[in-house]
Amino acid sequence: QLLGNLFEYELARRGEQLNILGATSGDTGSAAEYAMRGKKGVRVFMLSPNGRMSPFQQAQMFSLQDDNIHNIAIDGVFDDCQDIVKAVSNDLAFKRRYKIGTVNSINWARLLAQVVYYFAGYFQATEPSTGSGRTELPKVSFAVPSGNFGNVCAGHVARMMGLPVKQLVVATNENDVLDEFFRTGVYRVRASSDTHETSSPSMDISKASNFERFMFDLLERDGTRTRALFGETLARDGRFDLGADPAFAQAAQRYGFVSGKSTHADRLATIKGTFDRLGVMIDPHTADAMKVARGYMQAGVPMIVLETALPIKFAQTIVKALGREPDRPARFKGLEQLPRRVTLMIPDATAVQAYISQNCQ
C-alpha cells in the first residue's frame, strides 16, 4: 500500500508511467494488486505458479477486473516465476523501453517499509526503562516464516540499525534450503522438480532472492565474492559451502541468525495446540514460525512470532487441524465464485516480455 501511493504520487509528478512486474507464491501478489488497482500511471503484471496457491489466494488475485491488473499463471513453481522476473529486469533495453519496476521484496523500498514492524513489535513487547544507570536495553527475539527471505531480511536491517534483537529465527517448511544453510553452512539450491508442494505454500521457495543481501553483509560487503558465489559457483556446482569459513560462525554470533524446520504434521499440531490453549486461530505459515520459535525460547527474552496471513486463505489446512472452517470476513464472502481474469503461460521470459509489449500499447 505504501509503494502504491508512492508510485502514483511520483509518477504524476514526473508525468511518467511504470509497469510493475512481480512474482508471488501467494500473499505478495494479492497485496500488491489491491494496492495498485486503479492507480494512475501504473500497470501490474503478476506471475504466480499455476495451481500452487490455495483456492482462496487464487480467487483473491484472479477475480480482480481492473484494466491495469494482469495476472499471469506460470506452468511451474514460484522459483520459475522469480527467475522470469529477474531475467526481464536484467534485459536493460527492454526494462528501459517499458519502464519495468518491481513491487515485491526485490524492491528495496518494500523491504524498508517492513523494517518498521520490527521496531513496532519491539516497543510493544518491552517495558520502557524507568530506573537510572541502566546501560543496556532489553532484547527480544523474532521468529519469521521464511521463503524468499524478505521479511527476515528486514529484521536483519533493523538489527543492523541498532534494534536490540537477540535472535532472528528463520522458520522454513519442508523446503528447507535456508535452514540447511544456517545449520551447516551449505547453500544448496533445489530444482523446480525438488521443490515440495506443502500446506504452507507461500514458503514453497528454493531460491531466496533476498538471501544475497544478507550474504553480502556476512562476507563483509565483498561484492566480488558475493557475485562469484551466487553466479559462477552456483551455476557450476548448484551449491556453495561456507561451513569451514570463519564468516559462517558470524551468522549466529554476530547477526543473531538461527533456524529450524516445520512439517505438515507440525503445522496441524501447532494450529490445534494454539487454538486449544489461547482460542486464537493461526494460518499454516505462522504455525511454522510458532513451532520453530519454541526451540529458541530464552528466559527473560520475549519471542515475537510474525503472523503472516488470515486463516481463511488456507481453509483446507485449518479444517484438517481443527475440524471446522475458519471465520470468513464479510468482505470475502462469495470470493471463490467471482469471475476470473488470468492468462496461463509457459515458464519463458520471452513469452512474458511479448505479453507485456502487447498490453502496453
Side-chain angles (χ1 to χ4, degrees), residues 268-282:
L268 296 182
T270 303
I271 291 169
K272 185 175 189 312
T274 302
F275 190 75
D276 290 346
R277 286 185 302 108
L278 305 174
V280 175
M281 194 179 293
I282 59 174

Side-chain angles (χ1 to χ4, degrees), residues 63-324:
S63 63
L64 289 179
Q65 302 296 320
D66 303 73
D67 290 339
N68 71 323
I69 302 297
H70 300 269
N71 279 298
I72 303 172
I74 297 295
D75 191 15
V77 299
F78 170 77
D79 293 320
D80 296 316
C81 301
Q82 187 161 256
D83 286 345
I84 291 171
V85 171
K86 289 184 176 181
V88 174
S89 296
N90 287 333
D91 185 340
L92 297 183
F94 185 88
K95 184 177 182 179
R96 290 191 188 103
R97 180 179 179 184
Y98 290 100
K99 306 289 186 182
I100 302 294
T102 62
V103 73
N104 63 352
S105 54
I106 294 173
N107 189 311
W108 180 242
R110 151 78 186 277
L111 204 85
L112 288 179
Q114 288 183 295
V115 171
V116 177
Y117 287 88
Y118 287 85
F119 283 86
Y122 176 85
F123 290 121
Q124 290 176 47
T126 57
E127 293 291 332
S129 174
T130 56
S132 60
R134 187 167 188 172
T135 59
E136 187 174 339
L137 291 171
K139 290 191 174 183
V140 304
S141 292
F142 291 90
V144 189
S146 299
N148 209 24
F149 206 75
N151 199 340
V152 76
C153 188
H156 167 63
V157 173
R159 192 175 188 275
M160 295 281 281
M161 291 170 66
L163 189 68
V165 177
K166 179 74 173 175
Q167 289 184 315
L168 290 167
V169 183
V170 177
T172 74
N173 61 15
E174 292 87 339
N175 296 293
D176 58 351
V177 174
L178 295 172
D179 178 42
E180 182 179 35
F181 173 79
F182 285 111
R183 283 187 297 102
T184 68
V186 174
Y187 182 70
R188 182 171 57 92
V189 173
R190 315 301 199 257
S192 298
S193 58
D194 294 324
T195 301
H196 301 287
E197 186 173 356
T198 76
S199 52
S200 50
S202 298
M203 292 154 59
D204 291 350
I205 299 171
S206 293
K207 289 186 244 178
S209 61
N210 293 280
F211 186 60
E212 296 175 43
R213 287 177 163 146
F214 166 67
M215 286 297 299
F216 179 60
D217 285 337
L218 186 69
L219 298 173
E220 298 183 348
R221 298 188 160 245
D222 184 338
T224 301
R225 189 178 178 199
T226 305
R227 191 180 304 112
L229 284 178
F230 285 91
E232 59 192 60
T233 302
L234 277 184
R236 183 185 65 242
D237 304 329
R239 52 176 274 161
F240 58 75
D241 186 353
L242 297 183
D245 193 310
F248 172 65
Q250 296 179 0
Q253 294 172 7
R254 182 177 175 185
Y255 297 108
F257 276 100
V258 293
S259 69
K261 170 183 172 180
S262 174
T263 66
H264 177 66
D266 294 326
R267 285 188 280 282
L268 296 182
T270 303
I271 291 169
K272 185 175 189 312
T274 302
F275 190 75
D276 290 346
R277 286 185 302 108
L278 305 174
V280 175
M281 194 179 293
I282 59 174
D283 82 289
H285 308 78
T286 306
D288 285 332
M290 288 273 287
K291 187 266 178 186
V292 176
R294 290 200 183 102
Y296 291 101
M297 297 289 291
Q298 296 177 336
V301 181
M303 175 69 76
I304 301 173
V305 176
L306 272 63
E307 188 175 15
T308 60
L310 291 173
I312 187 60
K313 286 190 172 185
F314 310 98
Q316 293 176 333
T317 302
I318 300 298
V319 169
K320 286 180 182 176
L322 301 179
R324 55 159 285 184

